[in-house]
Amino acid sequence: MSRRPDEIVAEAEWLAGHGVRELLLVSENTRSYGKDLGDLRALEKLLPRIAAVVDRVRVSYLQPAELRPGLIEAIAGTPGVAPYFDLSFQHASGTVLRRMRRFGDRERFLELLDSIRALAPDAGVRSNFIVGFPGETDVEFADLWAFVEAARLDAIGVFGHSDEEGTEAIGSSARSTRCSSRSGPPSCRCWRTRCAIGAPRSGSARRSRCSSGRPAPAGRHTRRPRWTAR
């Protein structure tokens, strides 16, 4: 349920009066803010109001499929709003995303990043990814790998898929292999997690290490990405 804009601004003013200089706007899907209020542009209207109260505003957890051009412009161009995009891609293979009941694919996501960087070349971009989703093939994982290499993200979180009661995935007959070995098969979700963490650093030697079944270590990238894994 979306809080009323005036209520949020009033809280921002109270926080600013007590010394708070930066506010982080976050929800399960921040882009959906205002839908239940009947205003699809509620977030982009709210940002300038909060930015006028505190030194900086940061927006977190945006669904790529719902990221409208107007909101991109508001985040990229509003004084006091950090040009920071926390985009929940989850994967880059269109077929895996369909099984997750999500939208998008590698090409669309890269186009989205291009549109962001056209407005704010130095924008920070973070995302998170799930590997080992039931039925994930080597080709689908390679699609994710290629996206992470091309996307030039500043920070990524990589998580191995874990079962959750009541979800469609837990009943799937296509299960990813579990393993505890550091040199498990390419179908192993643990191996894929470690390999995906290393993806931002391109290079034939790096790819050959992963294709041979040995995980590639995390490395540096020109945009100095940060990695987290679980």
Side-chain angles (χ1 to χ4, degrees):
M1 178 180 294
S2 300
R3 297 172 61 191
R4 295 285 176 180
D6 289 346
E7 178 186 346
I8 297 175
V9 173
E11 181 176 353
E13 292 172 341
W14 184 89
L15 290 169
H18 286 74
V20 174
R21 300 178 59 188
E22 177 174 350
L23 292 179
L24 175 65
L25 303 181
V26 62
S27 68
E28 185 175 348
N29 179 7
T30 309
R31 177 60 193 90
S32 292
Y33 173 74
K35 282 185 176 181
D36 51 342
L37 300 177
D39 187 355
L40 295 178
R41 298 182 62 243
L43 182 57
E44 55 205 78
K45 293 177 182 177
L46 177 64
L47 289 176
R49 297 182 63 187
I50 299 179
V53 174
V54 295
D55 290 350
R56 185 165 67 172
V57 183
R58 188 184 299 264
V59 182
S60 188
Y61 210 79
L62 298 166
Q63 294 290 351
E66 298 184 33
L67 195 55
R68 293 171 174 265
L71 181 56
I72 296 175
E73 293 171 3
I75 295 175
T78 302
V81 177
Y84 168 79
F85 293 81
D86 182 8
L87 304 172
S88 182
F89 288 125
Q90 299 289 300
H91 210 281
S93 165
T95 50
V96 172
L97 288 165
R98 294 301 90 72
R99 293 199 296 274
M100 290 180 175
R101 299 294 187 264
R102 299 175 70 91
F103 301 96
D105 54 40
R106 179 175 48 158
E107 290 73 21
R108 293 180 185 178
F109 291 163
L110 288 175
E111 289 174 359
L112 173 60
L113 291 173
D114 286 344
S115 67
I116 289 172
R117 288 168 178 151
L119 292 173
D122 295 326
V125 184
R126 177 201 174 276
S127 192
N128 49 75
F129 301 95
I130 295 174
V131 296
F133 191 81
E136 182 189 64
T137 66
D138 290 345
V139 171
E140 290 168 334
F141 176 72
D143 211 14
L144 170 60
W145 172 280
F147 170 74
V148 174
E149 281 198 312
R152 299 180 294 119
L153 304 176
D154 294 280
I156 62 174
V158 182
F159 306 92
H161 173 266
S162 58
D163 295 334
E164 182 177 345
E165 293 293 339
T167 63
E168 292 186 34
I170 198 170
S172 173
S173 59
R175 311 300 297 166
S176 295
T177 306
R178 291 183 181 273
C179 71
S180 57
S181 169
R182 291 189 61 82
S183 59
S187 60
C188 165
R189 73 186 68 177
C190 305
W191 179 90
R192 286 182 175 175
T193 301
R194 291 192 297 273
C195 205
I197 292 172
R201 180 183 175 184
S202 61
S204 58
R206 188 171 196 75
R207 283 188 289 270
S208 66
R209 290 189 65 182
C210 280
S211 63
S212 66
R214 296 190 298 275
R220 292 187 179 273
H221 184 266
T222 55
R223 291 182 63 87
R224 294 180 298 173
R226 293 175 289 115
W227 299 272
T228 58
R230 185 167 65 190

